[in-house]
Amino acid sequence: MWRAYLRMQRAIEVALVRQLGETGISRTDFEVLVPLSEAKDRSLRVRDLASWTGWDRSRISHQLRRMEERGLITREDVADDARGTMVRLTDKGYEITVAAAPGQVETVRRVLVDLLDPAEIDQLTTIGERVATAAGYANLPYPDER
Amino acid sequence: MWRAYLRMQRAIEVALVRQLGETGISRTDFEVLVPLSEAKDRSLRVRDLASWTGWDRSRISHQLRRMEERGLITREDVADDARGTMVRLTDKGYEITVAAAPGQVETVRRVLVDLLDPAEIDQLTTIGERVATAAGYANLPYPDER
DNA sequence: GAGCTTTTGTTGACGCGTCAGCATCTTGGT
DNA sequence: ACCAAGATGCTGACGCGTCAACAAAAGCTC
């Protein structure tokens, strides 16, 4: 089972990366772009991006610096908290995101969901939630749900 | 299901890394050390290590350089093929490996296997193999099995 | 065997991720 | 008001992983 799990994991990861190949963004970029594209004003505080992605502040900061250099996002000060930084998606960043998103969803469907029958989808959901919960991973990586 | 899968994957990865924390080696090191520790003379060609791990030659080479600097392995020429390089586990490398291995196995058991009943283990195996196979990942990441 | 192709392994450059440390600001207790 | 404690974000250093390029040796074809 462990071997099967490892191969499945690698297969899915490779498929997702490959699909993103020609879009000009990486899987890591995508993790930041998606919450931004869905957020009000296409902008979020760095803090919220961190809890959304589950990354630490340092990683977020480095990632944002690189994305800012590429013109995907901008950074501005937060009005009511002088410590904070607002991250805003540029038009370019937004366009790239909406262009890339369907492909990622389609890939998950193609390499995973479509291969499973409804019972198996339930099984994988059950297993995944139990394993994550037992390890202390709450059901909610998203800010709104905390 | 997708969210559950992602959280499970992260939970397992974090648990494996954490368990390795005090052993002085990384999860990546471990992937190289295990096949070496099981191989005849505790040595393998770089080529075979590459197919075992599924990495490309460049990554293997960088990894081996760093592991050699830390005294975990040594490199020698291959007798019958002047292009090849034999990688040999040092005593230090072997001791670290056998010291760390049980903990990794135990972790997989604790965070995954022990949480599932026999039917679920079969389910995850079935799903994993189907997904990996459909994506073109043969059933065999190991040299002997190719 | 000359000449081309393939295999094998290494290297340098560069982006990524983690860690430790830092500066700044806010909050809570007194 | 003050001061310690916490929150927020950034940076530099360093190890890791990928990519392109390279060198050397086998293998293959004629």
Side-chain angles (χ1 to χ4, degrees), chain B residues 40-108:
Chain B
K40 184 163 173 298
D41 297 330
R42 293 173 195 167
S43 63
L44 286 172
R45 282 194 61 160
V46 172
R47 181 224 312 169
D48 298 326
L49 259 179
S51 69
W52 185 290
T53 56
W55 302 349
D56 63 17
R57 296 190 300 277
S58 176
R59 180 175 174 187
I60 285 276
S61 187
H62 284 302
Q63 180 71 29
L64 292 176
R65 178 181 49 73
R66 291 184 296 252
M67 290 176 72
E68 189 172 23
E69 288 169 356
R70 288 189 288 153
L72 297 175
I73 57 113
T74 58
R75 290 199 260 202
E76 341 167 351
D77 290 342
V78 173
D80 58 320
D81 188 339
R83 297 168 302 180
T85 302
M86 287 298 289
V87 180
R88 183 182 305 276
L89 205 52
T90 62
D91 290 344
K92 175 183 173 188
Y94 183 75
E95 286 164 15
I96 291 182
T97 305
V98 297
Q104 288 286 288
V105 174
E106 188 272 333
T107 299
V108 172

